[in-house]
Amino acid sequence: MSNELLNEVTFFVLSIFVGIEVISKVPTILHTPLMSGTNAIHGIIVVGAIVIAAGANSPVTIILGLVAVTLATTNVVGGFVVTDRMLEMFKGRQSPKPATPVTPTK
Amino acid sequence: MTTLIQIAYLVAAVLFILGLKQLSSPKGARNGNFIAAVGMVIALAATVPLLHFTTAGVIIIAIGVVIGAAVGAIGARMVKMTAIPQMVALFNGVGGGAAALVAVAELLRFGQHPSFTEAFPSVFSIVIGSVSFAGSMVAFAKLQELMTGTPITYPGQQIVNGILAALILGFVIAVLAVASIPFSFISLMVLALVLGVAFVLPIGGADMPVVISLLNAFTGLAVAASGFTLNNFALIVAGTLVGASGSLLTKLMSDAMGRSLANVLFGAFGQTRTGAAATAGIEGRSVRSGSAEDIGTLLAYSQRVIIVPGYGLAVAQAQHAARELAELLEKRGVEVSYAIHPVAGRMPGHMNVLLAEANVPYEQLKEMDEVNDEFKNADVALIVGANDVVNPSARNAPGSPIYGMPILNADQAKNIVFMKRSMRPGFAGIDNDLMYDPKTLMFFGDAKDSLTKLVAAVKAA
């Protein structure tokens, strides 16, 4: 196994644990926004799409690159915007902290 | 220079992790989304300067980015809040499609005999990405009601799916061990697309959120695999983060419905018959229905009313009318709260989003555990377009497809007003005994019209 591949596998395995750990305490009401947010993050494929499109030099690679960049950009832009729209609804709507009862000094 | 890229990718990865962390807490969710978007911009900005562009490459990237950004931004801005679930499905599907295409382009570049470490992640990405694309499109069609939301099953379905899986395995081996030629990996892609469709068809519309979440995790893994193909750390880390957190989220969602993931995905097989038998058993029973005036009076002279909103309310855009009715009742001294089932609407948390949009005070929204003991003290449970989440057969009919799902105890209220468009069973396709309960008054009609009528009736009472 080459050094680079070994590094990649290391990142892969550690990312699995981080991914699970980081969202383990999500409350039910945030399931939909969280799903939508992770959906936007896998829009990182746009980086891959741009890498393959950059070197396009034949009809086949041009079409592949064009479609891949279009789809990936839709994913990343739509994903972040729709998540933001959802979360906008929650703005300033956190349940108010229970007012601390004023304990009269005796 | 490559060092700089690696550092930028590291920063992006950290921002994705922090973003996810914030997204899962109510306080910082919106910030979390923004942080992740910044990470995305950094990853892109670091990648572009080092590429060698052909002229064609520059042109197609410009066109693709403009079209994609326009479609994504306009689609996300224009979509109604009620249609958000299918929009997420759509955005997820195109991501999976992009991952598969990136892998196809790389396989073409590798030539006929790529090494195993080049070919394996590529075919993985093609298969998983294509399944995610096609499956998401079916999920979209089901939720958008372009096709029936009920599970589609046919004889020999499992055999057909088995053959598909076997063919896919065959082509995977062909690409890996024999030769990587366009015929094999294009066939692989087509077969995986068909598998994606076949996978989602037998799953009912009510379970689509769980399926979309699973396909979201799939896309994450496909992206990670494409990262291995391109030796790109940003893709590997971000894709894997989504794959892992998406898998956990899928499990949390099916837990919220009180079911196992296997039951959600494969439950349609063999369960349609029990559903039919259950329906046959209650034919011929009568229901009571009430007029707007009857119900308006009942509500106006109650002390405690609990509103149970469901998808019908969302579809009819009736959240504003519901708030108006609630405010009117409160002026008369009636205590009003909303009982939110974790999967009310079509996605967990969907109903909170909708009611927040209508400016319903946050304190009135009560989660299932909090509100379930309050039903027995409520004078009226007003069910607006909800069905499966108040269906007592989840509690007492072991043969029912939703048996075991935690439900709202609306049946314990002194009176039940069931607002519904018709007697048609709910999204899960199961009849609801609560409609035949002697305490229940049915009120038929579109949720918004009905609520408006009730507002008028309460004013008159």
Side-chain angles (χ1 to χ4, degrees):
Chain A
M1 211 189 253
S2 74
N3 241 341
E4 182 168 30
L5 183 60
L6 201 58
N7 278 337
E8 289 174 358
V9 172
T10 309
F11 274 84
F12 173 70
V13 173
L14 293 179
S15 300
I16 294 177
F17 284 98
V18 175
I20 290 175
E21 194 50 44
V22 82
I23 67 137
S24 57
K25 291 195 184 72
V26 59
T28 318
I29 70 163
L30 284 176
H31 280 179
T32 301
L34 178 63
M35 170 155 88
S36 182
T38 56
N39 176 40
I41 291 176
H42 68 50
I44 188 79
I45 189 64
V46 71
V47 168
I50 287 179
V51 169
I52 63 147
N57 52 11
S58 68
V60 176
T61 50
I62 285 175
I63 292 172
L64 277 176
L66 177 62
V67 178
V69 172
T70 309
L71 294 183
T73 313
T74 308
N75 180 186
V76 72
V77 174
F80 280 119
V81 175
V82 87
T83 311
D84 190 60
R85 247 193 93 191
M86 260 186 247
L87 293 169
E88 202 176 7
M89 300 298 164
F90 290 97
K91 187 176 52 184
R93 306 205 140 263
Q94 275 78 39
S95 49
K97 288 191 191 94
T100 37
V102 186
T103 38
T105 43
K106 51 178 173 181
Chain B
M1 220 26 195
T2 34
T3 322
L4 259 182
I5 291 201
Q6 296 301 348
I7 290 173
Y9 283 175
L10 179 62
V11 173
V14 170
L15 291 176
F16 289 150
I17 293 168
L18 290 177
L20 277 178
K21 180 86 196 156
Q22 295 258 298
L23 268 171
S24 50
S25 87
K27 272 187 190 162
R30 206 171 170 204
N31 267 334
N33 189 47
F34 182 72
I35 292 172
V38 172
M40 191 66 66
V41 172
I42 291 176
L44 270 173
T47 310
V48 172
L50 269 206
L51 295 172
H52 300 287
F53 290 93
T54 60
T55 322
V58 174
I59 296 171
I60 57 173
I61 290 171
I63 296 175
V65 166
V66 169
I67 298 178
V71 172
I74 294 172
R77 279 271 149 224
M78 304 291 286
V79 63
K80 283 197 216 138
M81 273 298 160
T82 44
I84 288 231
Q86 51 266 49
M87 210 60 199
V88 176
L90 208 60
F91 292 147
N92 175 57
V94 294
L101 293 178
V102 168
V104 168
E106 283 298 281
L107 276 183
L108 281 173
R109 195 175 61 83
F110 291 147
Q112 282 206 15
H113 296 287
S115 70
F116 180 78
T117 52
E118 288 170 334
F120 180 73
S122 307
V123 293
F124 183 89
S125 179
I126 290 175
V127 172
I128 301 293
S130 305
V131 167
S132 179
F133 177 80
S136 298
M137 293 307 141
V138 176
F140 172 80
K142 286 200 176 207
L143 289 176
Q144 191 69 27
E145 292 177 354
L146 300 175
M147 60 184 288
T148 169
T150 50
I152 296 175
T153 51
Y154 53 88
Q157 195 161 16
Q158 278 153 308
I159 298 171
V160 171
N161 290 353
I163 293 172
L164 264 176
L167 280 173
I168 288 175
L169 195 64
F171 275 106
V172 167
I173 293 169
V175 173
L176 293 181
V178 187
S180 165
I181 51 169
F183 169 75
S184 346
F185 51 78
I186 298 301
S187 308
L188 198 55
M189 192 163 178
V190 172
L191 286 167
L193 289 171
V194 178
L195 182 68
V197 174
F199 169 62
V200 180
L201 277 183
I203 305 172
D207 291 335
M208 275 310 124
V210 180
V211 174
I212 297 171
S213 176
L214 183 71
L215 294 174
N216 182 41
F218 276 16
T219 304
L221 290 177
V223 169
S226 291
F228 276 97
T229 308
L230 293 164
N231 291 318
N232 185 305
F233 280 93
L235 263 63
I236 295 176
V237 172
T240 312
L241 280 175
V242 176
S245 59
S247 305
L248 176 62
L249 187 56
T250 310
K251 184 181 175 300
L252 293 176
M253 281 188 180
S254 43
D255 286 353
M257 301 168 79
R259 297 165 60 192
S260 71
L261 185 56
N263 180 269
V264 171
L265 299 180
F266 308 111
F269 299 108
Q271 273 195 345
T272 37
R273 275 161 297 275
T274 40
T279 323
I282 49 179
E283 249 175 72
R285 283 195 283 165
S286 61
V287 297
R288 284 198 307 153
S289 71
S291 69
E293 288 70 31
D294 296 340
I295 295 166
T297 315
L298 175 67
L299 289 172
Y301 293 96
S302 297
Q303 288 183 340
R304 282 196 195 84
V305 172
I306 300 180
I307 299 176
V308 182
Y311 187 72
L313 174 136
V315 166
Q317 295 279 308
Q319 60 269 39
H320 299 276
R323 192 210 56 211
E324 200 187 340
L325 178 66
E327 281 178 353
L328 196 60
L329 289 172
E330 285 192 312
K331 272 192 205 132
R332 300 183 63 113
V334 184
E335 210 177 286
V336 183
S337 54
Y338 297 79
I340 312 288
H341 190 274
V343 294
R346 276 190 190 168
M347 277 199 169
H350 193 195
M351 198 49 68
N352 302 67
V353 174
L354 289 173
L355 292 173
E357 187 201 26
N359 289 322
V360 170
Y362 196 86
E363 313 83 70
Q364 288 184 358
L365 305 183
K366 298 199 172 164
E367 306 241 344
M368 182 167 63
D369 298 337
E370 194 186 347
V371 79
N372 256 350
D373 290 334
E374 294 178 18
F375 274 106
K376 55 181 180 295
N377 298 323
D379 299 294
V380 183
L382 182 66
I383 302 167
V384 190
N387 190 351
D388 298 328
V389 299
V390 293
N391 191 338
S393 68
R395 234 189 272 132
N396 52 29
S400 166
I402 58 167
Y403 181 68
M405 178 171 98
I407 57 162
L408 292 165
N409 299 332
D411 53 336
Q412 292 176 1
K414 292 178 193 123
N415 295 284
I416 300 141
V417 174
F418 210 132
M419 298 174 59
K420 234 178 149 305
R421 267 184 301 188
S422 66
M423 288 297 288
R424 263 187 346 150
F427 214 50
I430 314 146
D431 217 323
N432 191 341
D433 275 353
L434 190 58
M435 293 193 269
Y436 305 93
D437 192 302
K439 289 189 296 184
T440 302
L441 269 177
M442 297 299 295
F443 188 37
F444 292 111
D446 168 81
K448 193 175 179 181
D449 293 346
S450 302
L451 282 169
T452 316
K453 281 182 202 153
L454 287 186
V455 167
V458 170
K459 275 183 185 154

